Amino acid sequence: MKKRIFSAVFTLIMGMSLLAGCNTQPEKLEFTTFAMDTVMNITIYSEDQDGARGVSEALTSLLAGMDSMLSATREGSDISQINQSEGQPVEVTGWTMELLPQVLELCQATDGALDITAYPAVKAWGFTGEEHRVPPSNELAELAAKIDYTAVELGMNTVSVPAGMEIDLGAVAKGYAGDLLAYNVRDNNLSSALLDLGQSTIVAVGTKPDGSPWRIGVRDPEGEDYFAVVELEDMAMGTSGGYQRYFEEGGVTYWHILDPKTAAPARSGLSSVTVVSPSALTCDGLSTALFVMGLEDGTQFWRDHPELEFEAVFVTENGEIYRTAGLEGRFSLADGYQDREVTVLE
Ligand code: ADP
Ligand code: MG
């Protein structure tokens, strides 16, 4: 009898402590901030809401600080100073000095499909403001002749860009920010967060609180829906597409991703490229570069660069879907797209 009472009490205590455990379930903290020309949505799960709020404030000021240092359009930013330097070396430190060598490495790896010196061409098309225009072909030829990332020289803490050339980190800054934010989140012992840096750069920290992977939609470049879902766990994803920023003139669509060889919008037959990698910087830089390369060269680039640890999803202008073999088990078609064919690239 005593034994039975003991076991009943034991069961009761166990039950109560399990319930108490439920009370310390991580709670969701969501916040939105505007940086790098886009709305960013951050979701953090934590049992310590005060702590999470502190982290959210830290992330917001981190983003604001990076924006004011890395933006090409903000007066006084490191990049603006470099662009106004008339070829003289400019002293830079911190994020700028950390990011530049990494992005130049990506420019080199992609053989200039990614080229941070495309900025004068980006401006000539009006993609930095609201007034768009189609530059005439002689102007484009002149602009293309001046796109050359190999002319950017890095010193110990200086950057030199030849007079007449300008740089822009628009293709990689959000990815770099995503990596820094994720580092910060993990450093605060938070193991479940989703950092959506807008315009399709997203970093999944850990898993969802229930231990399942984050499920992230890949947008149909032809519409508003998601055509596929990619499962991410401690992984980043970035998409570049002609649909993200563009204008139309004379029945032709001109988008913001330029082919450094022509200084004109890249027409490689793709409408979007999504890259999945542990590094958000890699995702951002390579999604832009693969969009420029096109399906065939982009696939060969993936085969040739296993050290960059990335997988990719390509959508062509006629709606064909291709994905690399490494996404097996992590990629699925969304509802409404189940009948679409997906070609696996090996
Ligand atoms: P988004 O910023 O819309 O996510 P991307 O990451 O693809 O898109 O970056 C596009 C931006 O990068 C453009 O707005 C422009 O500033 C710059 N850019 C355009 N073409 C190139 C290129 N080939 N290499 C490097 N930067 C580019
Ligand atoms: Mg990019």
Side-chain angles (χ1 to χ4, degrees), residues 114 170-172 201 239-240 283-289:
L114 183 75
V172 290
T201 297
T239 301
S240 284
C283 291
D284 201 358
L286 290 189
S287 61
T288 307

Side-chain angles (χ1 to χ4, degrees), residues 44-305:
I44 296 172
Y45 283 91
S46 172
E47 287 152 22
D48 168 14
Q49 284 292 292
D50 287 341
R53 256 187 295 280
V55 173
S56 79
E57 280 158 24
L59 299 187
T60 306
S61 51
L62 191 65
L63 283 166
M66 293 180 86
D67 201 359
S68 59
M69 206 179 247
L70 301 175
S71 161
T73 51
R74 278 178 185 242
E75 199 53 44
S77 74
D78 281 0
I79 304 306
S80 290
Q81 290 186 40
I82 293 166
N83 289 345
Q84 289 159 12
S85 66
E86 300 287 342
Q88 294 304 309
V90 174
E91 237 178 80
V92 290
T93 54
W95 295 314
T96 314
M97 207 54 219
E98 191 183 79
L99 174 55
L100 273 171
Q102 297 183 58
V103 64
L104 286 172
E105 224 170 89
L106 281 177
C107 293
Q108 189 176 24
T110 61
D111 198 17
L114 183 75
D115 193 318
I116 54 171
T117 63
Y119 194 52
V122 173
K123 284 203 292 188
W125 285 90
F127 284 117
T128 49
E130 294 305 309
E131 298 255 322
H132 297 120
R133 67 187 268 272
V134 180
S137 55
N138 60 332
E139 186 180 337
L140 288 178
E142 274 171 37
L143 286 164
K146 284 195 172 173
I147 301 178
D148 177 12
Y149 71 91
T150 65
V152 177
E153 279 183 29
L154 297 186
M156 277 298 282
N157 57 349
T158 58
V159 183
S160 318
V161 173
M165 288 174 66
E166 292 180 54
I167 62 169
D168 161 30
L169 301 175
V172 290
K174 280 188 294 241
Y176 177 59
D179 287 332
L180 282 194
L181 258 54
Y183 177 84
N184 212 291
V185 167
R186 292 189 182 104
D187 206 36
N188 279 284
N189 295 319
L190 295 164
S191 56
S192 177
L194 195 64
L195 319 173
D196 178 354
L197 303 218
Q199 307 237 2
S200 314
T201 297
I202 201 154
V203 190
V205 175
T207 60
K208 289 201 264 185
D210 67 4
S212 64
W214 296 100
R215 292 169 54 80
I216 311 300
V218 186
R219 198 175 131 176
D220 179 356
E222 299 301 326
E224 298 290 315
D225 294 336
Y226 295 122
F227 75 90
V229 174
V230 178
E231 296 193 349
L232 302 178
E233 181 175 337
D234 279 320
M235 197 62 73
M237 185 169 109
T239 301
S240 284
Y243 63 89
Q244 281 166 340
R245 211 167 340 140
Y246 62 89
F247 67 95
E248 281 167 6
E249 200 177 295
V252 184
T253 305
Y254 300 95
W255 45 74
H256 70 310
I257 302 172
L258 305 184
D259 183 343
K261 289 200 182 96
T262 61
R267 298 202 190 277
S268 62
L270 292 177
S271 57
S272 84
V273 180
T274 297
V275 173
V276 176
S277 161
S279 154
L281 173 60
T282 301
C283 291
D284 201 358
L286 290 189
S287 61
T288 307
L290 295 178
F291 186 90
V292 173
M293 287 181 205
L295 178 63
E296 214 168 293
D297 289 357
T299 305
Q300 195 53 45
F301 181 84
W302 169 73
R303 291 189 191 110
D304 291 345
H305 291 277

Side-chain angles (χ1 to χ4, degrees), residues 298-320:
T299 305
Q300 195 53 45
F301 181 84
W302 169 73
R303 291 189 191 110
D304 291 345
H305 291 277
E307 82 287 357
L308 290 173
E309 291 187 85
F310 75 98
E311 302 297 331
V313 181
F314 300 88
V315 182
T316 67
E317 283 187 308
N318 25 4
E320 292 158 17

